[in-house]
PDB file of all heavy atoms in Angstrom:
ATOM      1  N   VAL O   1      20.442 115.661   5.875  1.00 94.00           N
ATOM      2  CA  VAL O   1      21.740 115.631   6.555  1.00 94.00           C
ATOM      3  C   VAL O   1      22.100 117.024   7.065  1.00 94.00           C
ATOM      4  O   VAL O   1      22.570 117.195   8.210  1.00 94.00           O
ATOM      5  CB  VAL O   1      22.832 115.105   5.606  1.00 94.00           C
ATOM      6  CG1 VAL O   1      24.213 115.229   6.239  1.00 94.00           C
ATOM      7  CG2 VAL O   1      22.536 113.661   5.214  1.00 94.00           C
ATOM      8  N   LEU O   2      21.889 118.039   6.241  1.00 94.00           N
ATOM      9  CA  LEU O   2      22.200 119.418   6.632  1.00 94.00           C
ATOM     10  C   LEU O   2      21.403 119.833   7.865  1.00 94.00           C
ATOM     11  O   LEU O   2      21.941 120.454   8.792  1.00 94.00           O
ATOM     12  CB  LEU O   2      21.904 120.364   5.461  1.00 94.00           C
ATOM     13  CG  LEU O   2      22.081 121.865   5.718  1.00 94.00           C
ATOM     14  CD1 LEU O   2      23.520 122.168   6.109  1.00 94.00           C
ATOM     15  CD2 LEU O   2      21.679 122.661   4.481  1.00 94.00           C
ATOM     16  N   ALA O   3      20.111 119.479   7.886  1.00 93.00           N
ATOM     17  CA  ALA O   3      19.269 119.837   9.028  1.00 93.00           C
ATOM     18  C   ALA O   3      19.735 119.156  10.309  1.00 93.00           C
ATOM     19  O   ALA O   3      19.749 119.765  11.385  1.00 93.00           O
ATOM     20  CB  ALA O   3      17.811 119.477   8.737  1.00 93.00           C
ATOM     21  N   ARG O   4      20.142 117.887  10.181  1.00 93.00           N
ATOM     22  CA  ARG O   4      20.615 117.161  11.368  1.00 93.00           C
ATOM     23  C   ARG O   4      21.911 117.778  11.908  1.00 93.00           C
ATOM     24  O   ARG O   4      22.073 117.952  13.117  1.00 93.00           O
ATOM     25  CB  ARG O   4      20.852 115.694  11.020  1.00 93.00           C
ATOM     26  CG  ARG O   4      19.629 114.945  10.522  1.00 93.00           C
ATOM     27  CD  ARG O   4      18.565 114.787  11.564  1.00 93.00           C
ATOM     28  NE  ARG O   4      18.983 113.913  12.649  1.00 93.00           N
ATOM     29  CZ  ARG O   4      18.218 113.576  13.666  1.00 93.00           C
ATOM     30  NH1 ARG O   4      17.000 114.085  13.769  1.00 93.00           N
ATOM     31  NH2 ARG O   4      18.663 112.765  14.612  1.00 93.00           N
ATOM     32  N   ILE O   5      22.832 118.093  11.005  1.00 94.00           N
ATOM     33  CA  ILE O   5      24.091 118.699  11.428  1.00 94.00           C
ATOM     34  C   ILE O   5      23.839 120.064  12.058  1.00 94.00           C
ATOM     35  O   ILE O   5      24.431 120.422  13.098  1.00 94.00           O
ATOM     36  CB  ILE O   5      25.062 118.825  10.238  1.00 94.00           C
ATOM     37  CG1 ILE O   5      25.453 117.435   9.718  1.00 94.00           C
ATOM     38  CG2 ILE O   5      26.302 119.621  10.626  1.00 94.00           C
ATOM     39  CD1 ILE O   5      26.296 117.467   8.466  1.00 94.00           C
ATOM     40  N   GLU O   6      22.956 120.843  11.450  1.00 93.00           N
ATOM     41  CA  GLU O   6      22.650 122.170  11.982  1.00 93.00           C
ATOM     42  C   GLU O   6      22.059 122.086  13.387  1.00 93.00           C
ATOM     43  O   GLU O   6      22.413 122.878  14.277  1.00 93.00           O
ATOM     44  CB  GLU O   6      21.670 122.879  11.040  1.00 93.00           C
ATOM     45  CG  GLU O   6      21.366 124.311  11.466  1.00 93.00           C
ATOM     46  CD  GLU O   6      20.265 124.948  10.648  1.00 93.00           C
ATOM     47  OE1 GLU O   6      19.713 124.267   9.743  1.00 93.00           O
ATOM     48  OE2 GLU O   6      19.938 126.121  10.916  1.00 93.00           O
ATOM     49  N   LYS O   7      21.164 121.126  13.622  1.00 92.00           N
ATOM     50  CA  LYS O   7      20.568 120.975  14.951  1.00 92.00           C
ATOM     51  C   LYS O   7      21.619 120.629  15.997  1.00 92.00           C
ATOM     52  O   LYS O   7      21.605 121.155  17.116  1.00 92.00           O
ATOM     53  CB  LYS O   7      19.486 119.893  14.909  1.00 92.00           C
ATOM     54  CG  LYS O   7      18.219 120.304  14.167  1.00 92.00           C
ATOM     55  CD  LYS O   7      17.205 119.162  14.143  1.00 92.00           C
ATOM     56  CE  LYS O   7      15.944 119.557  13.401  1.00 92.00           C
ATOM     57  NZ  LYS O   7      14.959 118.445  13.341  1.00 92.00           N
ATOM     58  N   VAL O   8      22.530 119.729  15.638  1.00 92.00           N
ATOM     59  CA  VAL O   8      23.593 119.351  16.574  1.00 92.00           C
ATOM     60  C   VAL O   8      24.460 120.561  16.899  1.00 92.00           C
ATOM     61  O   VAL O   8      24.785 120.832  18.074  1.00 92.00           O
ATOM     62  CB  VAL O   8      24.454 118.206  15.989  1.00 92.00           C
ATOM     63  CG1 VAL O   8      25.689 117.979  16.860  1.00 92.00           C
ATOM     64  CG2 VAL O   8      23.634 116.930  15.874  1.00 92.00           C
ATOM     65  N   LEU O   9      24.855 121.309  15.883  1.00 93.00           N
ATOM     66  CA  LEU O   9      25.703 122.478  16.101  1.00 93.00           C
ATOM     67  C   LEU O   9      24.982 123.542  16.920  1.00 93.00           C
ATOM     68  O   LEU O   9      25.603 124.213  17.763  1.00 93.00           O
ATOM     69  CB  LEU O   9      26.145 123.057  14.755  1.00 93.00           C
ATOM     70  CG  LEU O   9      27.127 122.198  13.950  1.00 93.00           C
ATOM     71  CD1 LEU O   9      27.388 122.826  12.588  1.00 93.00           C
ATOM     72  CD2 LEU O   9      28.445 122.023  14.713  1.00 93.00           C
ATOM     73  N   ASN O  10      23.702 123.720  16.699  1.00 91.00           N
ATOM     74  CA  ASN O  10      22.939 124.703  17.469  1.00 91.00           C
ATOM     75  C   ASN O  10      22.895 124.361  18.952  1.00 91.00           C
ATOM     76  O   ASN O  10      22.786 125.253  19.805  1.00 91.00           O
ATOM     77  CB  ASN O  10      21.511 124.815  16.931  1.00 91.00           C
ATOM     78  CG  ASN O  10      21.401 125.776  15.768  1.00 91.00           C
ATOM     79  OD1 ASN O  10      22.059 126.817  15.757  1.00 91.00           O
ATOM     80  ND2 ASN O  10      20.575 125.440  14.786  1.00 91.00           N
ATOM     81  N   ARG O  11      23.003 123.066  19.261  1.00 90.00           N
ATOM     82  CA  ARG O  11      22.982 122.649  20.665  1.00 90.00           C
ATOM     83  C   ARG O  11      24.333 122.854  21.346  1.00 90.00           C
ATOM     84  O   ARG O  11      24.388 123.133  22.548  1.00 90.00           O
ATOM     85  CB  ARG O  11      22.565 121.178  20.777  1.00 90.00           C
ATOM     86  CG  ARG O  11      21.095 120.925  20.519  1.00 90.00           C
ATOM     87  CD  ARG O  11      20.668 119.574  21.060  1.00 90.00           C
ATOM     88  NE  ARG O  11      21.392 118.468  20.434  1.00 90.00           N
ATOM     89  CZ  ARG O  11      20.957 117.795  19.387  1.00 90.00           C
ATOM     90  NH1 ARG O  11      19.793 118.118  18.838  1.00 90.00           N
ATOM     91  NH2 ARG O  11      21.669 116.807  18.873  1.00 90.00           N
ATOM     92  N   VAL O  12      25.425 122.726  20.607  1.00 91.00           N
ATOM     93  CA  VAL O  12      26.749 122.737  21.236  1.00 91.00           C
ATOM     94  C   VAL O  12      27.510 124.045  21.048  1.00 91.00           C
ATOM     95  O   VAL O  12      28.435 124.337  21.823  1.00 91.00           O
ATOM     96  CB  VAL O  12      27.603 121.560  20.715  1.00 91.00           C
ATOM     97  CG1 VAL O  12      26.935 120.243  21.020  1.00 91.00           C
ATOM     98  CG2 VAL O  12      27.874 121.691  19.211  1.00 91.00           C
ATOM     99  N   VAL O  13      27.158 124.832  20.053  1.00 90.00           N
ATOM    100  CA  VAL O  13      27.892 126.072  19.787  1.00 90.00           C
ATOM    101  C   VAL O  13      27.312 127.203  20.634  1.00 90.00           C
ATOM    102  O   VAL O  13      26.094 127.388  20.673  1.00 90.00           O
ATOM    103  CB  VAL O  13      27.816 126.427  18.290  1.00 90.00           C
ATOM    104  CG1 VAL O  13      28.470 127.783  18.031  1.00 90.00           C
ATOM    105  CG2 VAL O  13      28.486 125.350  17.450  1.00 90.00           C
ATOM    106  N   PRO O  14      28.142 127.973  21.322  1.00 89.00           N
ATOM    107  CA  PRO O  14      27.653 129.110  22.116  1.00 89.00           C
ATOM    108  C   PRO O  14      26.903 130.119  21.252  1.00 89.00           C
ATOM    109  O   PRO O  14      27.240 130.329  20.074  1.00 89.00           O
ATOM    110  CB  PRO O  14      28.950 129.725  22.680  1.00 89.00           C
ATOM    111  CG  PRO O  14      29.936 128.612  22.651  1.00 89.00           C
ATOM    112  CD  PRO O  14      29.594 127.780  21.455  1.00 89.00           C
ATOM    113  N   ASP O  15      25.900 130.744  21.837  1.00 86.00           N
ATOM    114  CA  ASP O  15      25.063 131.698  21.101  1.00 86.00           C
ATOM    115  C   ASP O  15      25.887 132.825  20.480  1.00 86.00           C
ATOM    116  O   ASP O  15      25.554 133.316  19.394  1.00 86.00           O
ATOM    117  CB  ASP O  15      23.998 132.292  22.027  1.00 86.00           C
ATOM    118  CG  ASP O  15      22.962 131.264  22.457  1.00 86.00           C
ATOM    119  OD1 ASP O  15      22.874 130.216  21.779  1.00 86.00           O
ATOM    120  OD2 ASP O  15      22.252 131.499  23.450  1.00 86.00           O
ATOM    121  N   ALA O  16      26.935 133.235  21.148  1.00 87.00           N
ATOM    122  CA  ALA O  16      27.703 134.385  20.675  1.00 87.00           C
ATOM    123  C   ALA O  16      28.359 134.159  19.325  1.00 87.00           C
ATOM    124  O   ALA O  16      28.611 135.120  18.573  1.00 87.00           O
ATOM    125  CB  ALA O  16      28.777 134.747  21.713  1.00 87.00           C
ATOM    126  N   ILE O  17      28.646 132.917  18.974  1.00 90.00           N
ATOM    127  CA  ILE O  17      29.343 132.655  17.708  1.00 90.00           C
ATOM    128  C   ILE O  17      28.539 131.746  16.764  1.00 90.00           C
ATOM    129  O   ILE O  17      29.087 131.252  15.780  1.00 90.00           O
ATOM    130  CB  ILE O  17      30.726 132.030  17.971  1.00 90.00           C
ATOM    131  CG1 ILE O  17      30.595 130.712  18.760  1.00 90.00           C
ATOM    132  CG2 ILE O  17      31.625 133.005  18.696  1.00 90.00           C
ATOM    133  CD1 ILE O  17      31.903 129.960  18.890  1.00 90.00           C
ATOM    134  N   LYS O  18      27.265 131.529  17.090  1.00 86.00           N
ATOM    135  CA  LYS O  18      26.459 130.640  16.242  1.00 86.00           C
ATOM    136  C   LYS O  18      26.407 131.125  14.802  1.00 86.00           C
ATOM    137  O   LYS O  18      26.514 130.332  13.857  1.00 86.00           O
ATOM    138  CB  LYS O  18      25.043 130.531  16.805  1.00 86.00           C
ATOM    139  CG  LYS O  18      24.878 129.478  17.881  1.00 86.00           C
ATOM    140  CD  LYS O  18      23.429 129.327  18.303  1.00 86.00           C
ATOM    141  CE  LYS O  18      23.308 128.217  19.354  1.00 86.00           C
ATOM    142  NZ  LYS O  18      21.906 128.051  19.812  1.00 86.00           N
ATOM    143  N   LEU O  19      26.225 132.427  14.614  1.00 87.00           N
ATOM    144  CA  LEU O  19      26.112 132.964  13.254  1.00 87.00           C
ATOM    145  C   LEU O  19      27.364 132.705  12.447  1.00 87.00           C
ATOM    146  O   LEU O  19      27.311 132.510  11.226  1.00 87.00           O
ATOM    147  CB  LEU O  19      25.811 134.465  13.319  1.00 87.00           C
ATOM    148  CG  LEU O  19      25.560 135.169  11.984  1.00 87.00           C
ATOM    149  CD1 LEU O  19      24.334 134.577  11.296  1.00 87.00           C
ATOM    150  CD2 LEU O  19      25.393 136.666  12.192  1.00 87.00           C
ATOM    151  N   LEU O  20      28.519 132.681  13.123  1.00 89.00           N
ATOM    152  CA  LEU O  20      29.789 132.503  12.428  1.00 89.00           C
ATOM    153  C   LEU O  20      30.172 131.042  12.239  1.00 89.00           C
ATOM    154  O   LEU O  20      31.041 130.729  11.425  1.00 89.00           O
ATOM    155  CB  LEU O  20      30.906 133.207  13.216  1.00 89.00           C
ATOM    156  CG  LEU O  20      30.748 134.717  13.427  1.00 89.00           C
ATOM    157  CD1 LEU O  20      31.873 135.248  14.299  1.00 89.00           C
ATOM    158  CD2 LEU O  20      30.707 135.440  12.092  1.00 89.00           C
ATOM    159  N   VAL O  21      29.530 130.150  12.999  1.00 90.00           N
ATOM    160  CA  VAL O  21      29.947 128.751  12.995  1.00 90.00           C
ATOM    161  C   VAL O  21      28.915 127.813  12.386  1.00 90.00           C
ATOM    162  O   VAL O  21      29.241 126.997  11.505  1.00 90.00           O
ATOM    163  CB  VAL O  21      30.297 128.285  14.435  1.00 90.00           C
ATOM    164  CG1 VAL O  21      30.602 126.787  14.458  1.00 90.00           C
ATOM    165  CG2 VAL O  21      31.458 129.082  14.979  1.00 90.00           C
ATOM    166  N   VAL O  22      27.649 127.894  12.845  1.00 90.00           N
ATOM    167  CA  VAL O  22      26.655 126.874  12.504  1.00 90.00           C
ATOM    168  C   VAL O  22      26.430 126.755  11.007  1.00 90.00           C
ATOM    169  O   VAL O  22      26.581 125.676  10.418  1.00 90.00           O
ATOM    170  CB  VAL O  22      25.317 127.166  13.227  1.00 90.00           C
ATOM    171  CG1 VAL O  22      24.248 126.172  12.762  1.00 90.00           C
ATOM    172  CG2 VAL O  22      25.490 127.077  14.734  1.00 90.00           C
ATOM    173  N   GLY O  23      26.087 127.853  10.361  1.00 89.00           N
ATOM    174  CA  GLY O  23      25.793 127.808   8.935  1.00 89.00           C
ATOM    175  C   GLY O  23      26.974 127.371   8.091  1.00 89.00           C
ATOM    176  O   GLY O  23      26.875 126.422   7.300  1.00 89.00           O
ATOM    177  N   PRO O  24      28.131 128.046   8.239  1.00 92.00           N
ATOM    178  CA  PRO O  24      29.293 127.657   7.412  1.00 92.00           C
ATOM    179  C   PRO O  24      29.736 126.220   7.605  1.00 92.00           C
ATOM    180  O   PRO O  24      30.006 125.512   6.630  1.00 92.00           O
ATOM    181  CB  PRO O  24      30.376 128.639   7.885  1.00 92.00           C
ATOM    182  CG  PRO O  24      29.630 129.822   8.396  1.00 92.00           C
ATOM    183  CD  PRO O  24      28.390 129.268   9.018  1.00 92.00           C
ATOM    184  N   VAL O  25      29.816 125.787   8.873  1.00 93.00           N
ATOM    185  CA  VAL O  25      30.284 124.419   9.132  1.00 93.00           C
ATOM    186  C   VAL O  25      29.281 123.391   8.610  1.00 93.00           C
ATOM    187  O   VAL O  25      29.671 122.403   7.955  1.00 93.00           O
ATOM    188  CB  VAL O  25      30.546 124.209  10.639  1.00 93.00           C
ATOM    189  CG1 VAL O  25      30.867 122.740  10.925  1.00 93.00           C
ATOM    190  CG2 VAL O  25      31.689 125.101  11.109  1.00 93.00           C
ATOM    191  N   ALA O  26      28.005 123.613   8.900  1.00 93.00           N
ATOM    192  CA  ALA O  26      26.975 122.656   8.457  1.00 93.00           C
ATOM    193  C   ALA O  26      26.945 122.554   6.939  1.00 93.00           C
ATOM    194  O   ALA O  26      26.882 121.450   6.374  1.00 93.00           O
ATOM    195  CB  ALA O  26      25.606 123.079   8.990  1.00 93.00           C
ATOM    196  N   LEU O  27      27.014 123.703   6.267  1.00 94.00           N
ATOM    197  CA  LEU O  27      26.943 123.692   4.806  1.00 94.00           C
ATOM    198  C   LEU O  27      28.209 123.098   4.205  1.00 94.00           C
ATOM    199  O   LEU O  27      28.147 122.372   3.196  1.00 94.00           O
ATOM    200  CB  LEU O  27      26.736 125.118   4.301  1.00 94.00           C
ATOM    201  CG  LEU O  27      26.274 125.278   2.853  1.00 94.00           C
ATOM    202  CD1 LEU O  27      24.951 124.560   2.610  1.00 94.00           C
ATOM    203  CD2 LEU O  27      26.125 126.749   2.501  1.00 94.00           C
ATOM    204  N   LEU O  28      29.355 123.355   4.812  1.00 93.00           N
ATOM    205  CA  LEU O  28      30.618 122.827   4.295  1.00 93.00           C
ATOM    206  C   LEU O  28      30.647 121.301   4.395  1.00 93.00           C
ATOM    207  O   LEU O  28      30.987 120.607   3.422  1.00 93.00           O
ATOM    208  CB  LEU O  28      31.790 123.434   5.061  1.00 93.00           C
ATOM    209  CG  LEU O  28      33.184 123.160   4.503  1.00 93.00           C
ATOM    210  CD1 LEU O  28      33.335 123.764   3.122  1.00 93.00           C
ATOM    211  CD2 LEU O  28      34.250 123.700   5.454  1.00 93.00           C
ATOM    212  N   ILE O  29      30.277 120.779   5.566  1.00 93.00           N
ATOM    213  CA  ILE O  29      30.269 119.322   5.744  1.00 93.00           C
ATOM    214  C   ILE O  29      29.272 118.669   4.799  1.00 93.00           C
ATOM    215  O   ILE O  29      29.589 117.667   4.132  1.00 93.00           O
ATOM    216  CB  ILE O  29      29.932 118.969   7.213  1.00 93.00           C
ATOM    217  CG1 ILE O  29      31.027 119.466   8.158  1.00 93.00           C
ATOM    218  CG2 ILE O  29      29.757 117.456   7.361  1.00 93.00           C
ATOM    219  CD1 ILE O  29      30.697 119.287   9.620  1.00 93.00           C
ATOM    220  N   THR O  30      28.079 119.237   4.729  1.00 94.00           N
ATOM    221  CA  THR O  30      27.042 118.660   3.861  1.00 94.00           C
ATOM    222  C   THR O  30      27.452 118.735   2.398  1.00 94.00           C
ATOM    223  O   THR O  30      27.198 117.805   1.618  1.00 94.00           O
ATOM    224  CB  THR O  30      25.707 119.389   4.063  1.00 94.00           C
ATOM    225  OG1 THR O  30      25.347 119.370   5.438  1.00 94.00           O
ATOM    226  CG2 THR O  30      24.604 118.705   3.259  1.00 94.00           C
ATOM    227  N   GLY O  31      28.096 119.829   2.010  1.00 90.00           N
ATOM    228  CA  GLY O  31      28.540 119.969   0.628  1.00 90.00           C
ATOM    229  C   GLY O  31      29.536 118.887   0.233  1.00 90.00           C
ATOM    230  O   GLY O  31      29.415 118.278  -0.843  1.00 90.00           O
ATOM    231  N   PHE O  32      30.515 118.644   1.104  1.00 90.00           N
ATOM    232  CA  PHE O  32      31.475 117.579   0.826  1.00 90.00           C
ATOM    233  C   PHE O  32      30.782 116.223   0.733  1.00 90.00           C
ATOM    234  O   PHE O  32      31.037 115.427  -0.193  1.00 90.00           O
ATOM    235  CB  PHE O  32      32.555 117.545   1.914  1.00 90.00           C
ATOM    236  CG  PHE O  32      33.702 118.474   1.655  1.00 90.00           C
ATOM    237  CD1 PHE O  32      33.742 119.730   2.247  1.00 90.00           C
ATOM    238  CD2 PHE O  32      34.724 118.106   0.809  1.00 90.00           C
ATOM    239  CE1 PHE O  32      34.797 120.594   2.007  1.00 90.00           C
ATOM    240  CE2 PHE O  32      35.788 118.957   0.557  1.00 90.00           C
ATOM    241  CZ  PHE O  32      35.824 120.219   1.155  1.00 90.00           C
ATOM    242  N   LEU O  33      29.881 115.950   1.689  1.00 91.00           N
ATOM    243  CA  LEU O  33      29.160 114.673   1.671  1.00 91.00           C
ATOM    244  C   LEU O  33      28.270 114.554   0.432  1.00 91.00           C
ATOM    245  O   LEU O  33      28.109 113.462  -0.128  1.00 91.00           O
ATOM    246  CB  LEU O  33      28.318 114.530   2.943  1.00 91.00           C
ATOM    247  CG  LEU O  33      29.088 114.340   4.254  1.00 91.00           C
ATOM    248  CD1 LEU O  33      28.117 114.339   5.435  1.00 91.00           C
ATOM    249  CD2 LEU O  33      29.879 113.036   4.221  1.00 91.00           C
ATOM    250  N   ALA O  34      27.688 115.669   0.020  1.00 90.00           N
ATOM    251  CA  ALA O  34      26.791 115.649  -1.138  1.00 90.00           C
ATOM    252  C   ALA O  34      27.535 115.235  -2.404  1.00 90.00           C
ATOM    253  O   ALA O  34      27.050 114.411  -3.189  1.00 90.00           O
ATOM    254  CB  ALA O  34      26.143 117.016  -1.322  1.00 90.00           C
ATOM    255  N   PHE O  35      28.708 115.815  -2.623  1.00 89.00           N
ATOM    256  CA  PHE O  35      29.462 115.489  -3.834  1.00 89.00           C
ATOM    257  C   PHE O  35      30.162 114.136  -3.733  1.00 89.00           C
ATOM    258  O   PHE O  35      30.344 113.451  -4.739  1.00 89.00           O
ATOM    259  CB  PHE O  35      30.486 116.587  -4.131  1.00 89.00           C
ATOM    260  CG  PHE O  35      29.883 117.871  -4.597  1.00 89.00           C
ATOM    261  CD1 PHE O  35      29.982 119.021  -3.838  1.00 89.00           C
ATOM    262  CD2 PHE O  35      29.189 117.927  -5.795  1.00 89.00           C
ATOM    263  CE1 PHE O  35      29.418 120.212  -4.271  1.00 89.00           C
ATOM    264  CE2 PHE O  35      28.621 119.113  -6.249  1.00 89.00           C
ATOM    265  CZ  PHE O  35      28.732 120.263  -5.470  1.00 89.00           C
ATOM    266  N   LEU O  36      30.533 113.751  -2.514  1.00 88.00           N
ATOM    267  CA  LEU O  36      31.296 112.526  -2.333  1.00 88.00           C
ATOM    268  C   LEU O  36      30.413 111.285  -2.278  1.00 88.00           C
ATOM    269  O   LEU O  36      30.707 110.262  -2.926  1.00 88.00           O
ATOM    270  CB  LEU O  36      32.123 112.619  -1.045  1.00 88.00           C
ATOM    271  CG  LEU O  36      33.031 111.424  -0.710  1.00 88.00           C
ATOM    272  CD1 LEU O  36      34.082 111.261  -1.788  1.00 88.00           C
ATOM    273  CD2 LEU O  36      33.685 111.614   0.659  1.00 88.00           C
ATOM    274  N   VAL O  37      29.303 111.347  -1.531  1.00 89.00           N
ATOM    275  CA  VAL O  37      28.484 110.157  -1.275  1.00 89.00           C
ATOM    276  C   VAL O  37      27.027 110.340  -1.682  1.00 89.00           C
ATOM    277  O   VAL O  37      26.474 109.560  -2.468  1.00 89.00           O
ATOM    278  CB  VAL O  37      28.551 109.775   0.231  1.00 89.00           C
ATOM    279  CG1 VAL O  37      27.700 108.532   0.492  1.00 89.00           C
ATOM    280  CG2 VAL O  37      29.973 109.549   0.679  1.00 89.00           C
ATOM    281  N   ILE O  38      26.398 111.382  -1.148  1.00 90.00           N
ATOM    282  CA  ILE O  38      24.942 111.531  -1.301  1.00 90.00           C
ATOM    283  C   ILE O  38      24.538 111.685  -2.761  1.00 90.00           C
ATOM    284  O   ILE O  38      23.633 110.995  -3.243  1.00 90.00           O
ATOM    285  CB  ILE O  38      24.443 112.730  -0.482  1.00 90.00           C
ATOM    286  CG1 ILE O  38      24.708 112.515   1.009  1.00 90.00           C
ATOM    287  CG2 ILE O  38      22.951 112.952  -0.721  1.00 90.00           C
ATOM    288  CD1 ILE O  38      24.409 113.738   1.870  1.00 90.00           C
ATOM    289  N   GLY O  39      25.220 112.596  -3.458  1.00 85.00           N
ATOM    290  CA  GLY O  39      24.855 112.843  -4.848  1.00 85.00           C
ATOM    291  C   GLY O  39      24.956 111.605  -5.721  1.00 85.00           C
ATOM    292  O   GLY O  39      23.987 111.233  -6.391  1.00 85.00           O
ATOM    293  N   PRO O  40      26.120 110.929  -5.760  1.00 86.00           N
ATOM    294  CA  PRO O  40      26.221 109.725  -6.594  1.00 86.00           C
ATOM    295  C   PRO O  40      25.233 108.629  -6.216  1.00 86.00           C
ATOM    296  O   PRO O  40      24.635 107.993  -7.094  1.00 86.00           O
ATOM    297  CB  PRO O  40      27.664 109.265  -6.339  1.00 86.00           C
ATOM    298  CG  PRO O  40      28.403 110.504  -5.966  1.00 86.00           C
ATOM    299  CD  PRO O  40      27.421 111.321  -5.188  1.00 86.00           C
ATOM    300  N   ALA O  41      25.024 108.422  -4.894  1.00 88.00           N
ATOM    301  CA  ALA O  41      24.087 107.382  -4.471  1.00 88.00           C
ATOM    302  C   ALA O  41      22.656 107.743  -4.862  1.00 88.00           C
ATOM    303  O   ALA O  41      21.901 106.910  -5.385  1.00 88.00           O
ATOM    304  CB  ALA O  41      24.183 107.177  -2.959  1.00 88.00           C
ATOM    305  N   ALA O  42      22.270 109.005  -4.614  1.00 84.00           N
ATOM    306  CA  ALA O  42      20.909 109.444  -4.957  1.00 84.00           C
ATOM    307  C   ALA O  42      20.699 109.438  -6.463  1.00 84.00           C
ATOM    308  O   ALA O  42      19.608 109.103  -6.947  1.00 84.00           O
ATOM    309  CB  ALA O  42      20.647 110.838  -4.381  1.00 84.00           C
ATOM    310  N   LEU O  43      21.745 109.801  -7.208  1.00 80.00           N
ATOM    311  CA  LEU O  43      21.638 109.780  -8.664  1.00 80.00           C
ATOM    312  C   LEU O  43      21.427 108.354  -9.167  1.00 80.00           C
ATOM    313  O   LEU O  43      20.641 108.118 -10.087  1.00 80.00           O
ATOM    314  CB  LEU O  43      22.904 110.378  -9.288  1.00 80.00           C
ATOM    315  CG  LEU O  43      22.919 110.484 -10.814  1.00 80.00           C
ATOM    316  CD1 LEU O  43      21.803 111.400 -11.299  1.00 80.00           C
ATOM    317  CD2 LEU O  43      24.271 111.000 -11.288  1.00 80.00           C
ATOM    318  N   TRP O  44      22.102 107.412  -8.532  1.00 83.00           N
ATOM    319  CA  TRP O  44      21.929 106.010  -8.898  1.00 83.00           C
ATOM    320  C   TRP O  44      20.498 105.550  -8.622  1.00 83.00           C
ATOM    321  O   TRP O  44      19.878 104.883  -9.452  1.00 83.00           O
ATOM    322  CB  TRP O  44      22.920 105.166  -8.110  1.00 83.00           C
ATOM    323  CG  TRP O  44      22.848 103.687  -8.411  1.00 83.00           C
ATOM    324  CD1 TRP O  44      23.399 103.040  -9.477  1.00 83.00           C
ATOM    325  CD2 TRP O  44      22.173 102.689  -7.637  1.00 83.00           C
ATOM    326  NE1 TRP O  44      23.102 101.694  -9.424  1.00 83.00           N
ATOM    327  CE2 TRP O  44      22.351 101.453  -8.300  1.00 83.00           C
ATOM    328  CE3 TRP O  44      21.445 102.724  -6.461  1.00 83.00           C
ATOM    329  CZ2 TRP O  44      21.811 100.263  -7.816  1.00 83.00           C
ATOM    330  CZ3 TRP O  44      20.900 101.547  -5.969  1.00 83.00           C
ATOM    331  CH2 TRP O  44      21.091 100.327  -6.642  1.00 83.00           C
ATOM    332  N   ILE O  45      19.963 105.923  -7.459  1.00 82.00           N
ATOM    333  CA  ILE O  45      18.580 105.556  -7.118  1.00 82.00           C
ATOM    334  C   ILE O  45      17.596 106.222  -8.081  1.00 82.00           C
ATOM    335  O   ILE O  45      16.686 105.582  -8.611  1.00 82.00           O
ATOM    336  CB  ILE O  45      18.252 105.958  -5.669  1.00 82.00           C
ATOM    337  CG1 ILE O  45      19.129 105.172  -4.687  1.00 82.00           C
ATOM    338  CG2 ILE O  45      16.774 105.706  -5.367  1.00 82.00           C
ATOM    339  CD1 ILE O  45      19.012 105.658  -3.259  1.00 82.00           C
TER     340      ILE O  45
END
């Protein structure tokens, strides 16, 4: 999920602010999803 989000952001975010936007946003979204959905579902599997 993190890789997919990062690729999307790399395509739409201007080069000048990629360092400030891509990593933090991708990791923040993935982190929330990991604790909310991915982690419990994967733990169950």
Side-chain angles (χ1 to χ4, degrees):
V1 173
L2 176 60
R4 300 294 293 182
I5 295 174
E6 184 188 1
K7 288 179 180 179
V8 171
L9 291 175
N10 275 322
R11 287 198 299 266
V12 300
V13 175
D15 292 342
I17 59 172
K18 275 185 178 179
L19 184 62
L20 300 176
V21 174
V22 175
V25 173
L27 196 58
L28 189 63
I29 295 174
T30 305
F32 274 97
L33 291 175
F35 289 115
L36 182 63
V37 180
I38 298 172
L43 183 62
W44 181 80
I45 296 171

